[in-house]
Every structure is written in C-alpha cells, then in structure tokens.
Amino acid sequence: GENVEQHPSTLSVQEGDSAVIKCTYSDSASNYFPWYKQELGKRPQLIIDIRSNVGEKKDQRIAVTLNKTAKHFSLHITETQPEDSAVYFCAAPGQAGTALIFGKGTTLSVSS
Amino acid sequence: GAVVSQHPSWVICKSGTSVKIECRSLDFQATTMFWYRQFPKKSLMLMATSNEGSKATYEQGVEKDKFLINHASLTLSTLTVTSAHPEDSSFYICSARPRTGLEKLFFGSGTQLSVL
C-alpha cells in the first residue's frame, strides 16, 4: 500500500519568511496530493491540492509542486504570518477511490 | 457545500461502557466514509472504510468487534466504541467523499473521547 513520508516534523520561521514542507510517496499510481492544515483540537482543513497532470499549483501565498518521477511533492508558504502556525499534513490516496494516507505532520511555528 | 457533521464533539465515559459517534454528510451523498483516529501530536491513522449498505473494511490491527461501524444510509455512518478502555481515549474523526468520485475528502469536526 501507499506510504507517505513527511519532513521536517517541526519548522520554526520568522514572520515574513518562507516555509517549505516536503513529502514523498511510494505508489507511482497515486494521482492526487492534498495538503491539510490542522489547528489544535480542530478538523483538518484542505488548503491546496494537486493532481498528477500538473507540476505546480498556486493559491495566493501557498503553492504545491509535484515531481512524479521522483515521487515527491512540496508545500511552499511565502510571507508567513503568525496565523499560519499549525500542523500541516500531506496525503496521498491509498488506492483509487479509497481513503487518504497521511504523512506524520509538520508543526509550523511562525514567530513575530 | 460539502459539510460533514460529527457528534458528539467530546464525550467522557466510564471504562466498560459503549460510546456511539455519528457522522453525517449534510449536503451531499457519500457512498464511502472513513474513520480516523488521532492521538495527541500524532497523525491521522485510518481505522476503517465504511461503505453504504455493506460491511466496513478495517485496517490491520483495528478490532472490528470493538469498533462497530454502521453505514445505513448515504448520509450517515456511525462508529460505536464498545467496552471502552482508557487506551481507547483519542480524537476520532470521520471523513466523507461525495458520490462524484473525486478524491477530495471532507472531514467532520472530530470527537474527543476520554475513558476514565
């Protein structure tokens, strides 16, 4: 089955800096890669996703890049703000039409 | 759109009792719902896949007799933790995928279970 590795586990940046979180996956058939943001005690919120037919997708300060050959994808947050502080999870489909398999998460801390 | 409601949001129970958690898709039909468990500062671990009108599929290591799942309609799945023990204390969260078949999952608000 799918295996998703996520790095780093923690990331501390200064407000205004950029943050990058990386994930690798094992199943070359996977074709959908979402990123979720989770605040303490809350549900995960989808912040951006990408399908395998594109290499990059951007939404304001957030972007995701995908390298299918290397089987890795990354989340990029620019001009970070304190409210970006949360746990971020990457995910990939276990199999077509089945549940998402999540990475272990990255705790992002943005200090002002 | 794509709202998933989960109740209760938190529950405290005595060891040995059973707890039922409901997950409803409010504005779409979901043939498949998924139940995850999340321990503090850990990732979401898939417990089982709930299929409308059929038996749930459990992940390895998850006891099907302890975590009973029922998906009786296209908008409702329930998880019952039977004979709960302190080690079952966790954050349980459901998710649902619309019948359109797209990969996106929408999550419920989660249930914090504390077993005394």
Side-chain angles (χ1 to χ4, degrees):
Chain A
E2 179 68 274
N3 183 44
V4 179
E5 299 285 340
Q6 182 172 346
H7 299 279
S9 57
T10 60
L11 181 59
S12 296
V13 300
Q14 291 285 325
E15 183 177 3
D17 288 348
S18 295
V20 180
I21 304 171
K22 299 181 179 180
C23 285
T24 61
Y25 60 98
S26 60
D27 188 351
S28 57
S30 290
N31 58 3
Y32 174 69
F33 306 95
W35 285 91
Y36 286 84
K37 175 183 180 182
Q38 187 181 31
E39 298 177 348
L40 190 63
K42 302 288 182 63
R43 78 184 83 193
Q45 297 279 4
L46 177 68
I47 56 172
I48 196 167
D49 57 10
I50 190 168
R51 287 190 166 78
S52 58
N53 56 346
V54 297
E56 182 174 1
K57 182 178 179 180
K58 190 173 182 179
D59 182 4
Q60 299 183 335
R61 297 187 296 109
I62 296 173
V64 55
T65 58
L66 171 65
N67 183 326
K68 283 212 69 178
T69 303
K71 290 190 285 188
H72 66 70
F73 56 111
S74 300
L75 177 70
H76 304 253
I77 305 175
T78 58
E79 300 174 31
T80 54
Q81 301 166 4
E83 49 266 39
D84 294 329
S85 298
V87 181
Y88 292 81
F89 293 98
C90 62
Q95 293 177 30
T98 63
L100 292 175
I101 305 302
F102 287 83
K104 290 184 183 291
T106 297
T107 300
L108 174 64
S109 299
V110 181
S111 54
S112 55
Chain B
V3 177
V4 177
S5 173
Q6 185 173 343
H7 293 281
S9 56
W10 59 270
V11 59
I12 301 173
C13 70
K14 293 182 178 180
S15 186
T17 60
S18 295
V19 174
K20 180 185 281 189
I21 302 169
E22 290 190 350
C23 180
R24 295 180 184 271
S25 55
L26 297 185
D27 51 2
F28 65 96
Q29 293 182 327
T31 52
T32 306
M33 292 186 176
F34 306 97
W35 288 93
Y36 289 85
R37 179 168 53 184
Q38 186 176 32
F39 291 108
K41 298 185 179 182
K42 298 294 184 181
S43 185
L44 292 88
M45 298 302 296
L46 180 66
M47 298 175 66
T49 300
S50 171
N51 300 298
E52 187 266 335
S54 64
K55 292 183 178 180
T57 304
Y58 291 82
E59 294 300 300
Q60 190 174 6
V62 178
E63 299 175 59
K64 63 179 181 179
D65 295 329
K66 180 171 187 59
F67 299 99
L68 301 179
I69 292 173
N70 184 278
H71 193 155
S73 77
L74 287 172
T75 59
L76 174 64
S77 176
T78 61
L79 168 68
T80 301
V81 183
T82 63
S83 187
H85 291 284
E87 56 265 32
D88 299 325
S89 299
S90 185
F91 189 61
Y92 293 87
I93 189 163
C94 70
S95 64
R97 172 177 290 127
R99 291 182 73 185
T100 55
L102 296 178
E103 301 91 338
K104 289 186 180 182
L105 287 187
F106 298 94
F107 284 87
S109 53
T111 298
Q112 182 63 53
L113 171 64
S114 296
V115 184
L116 304 179

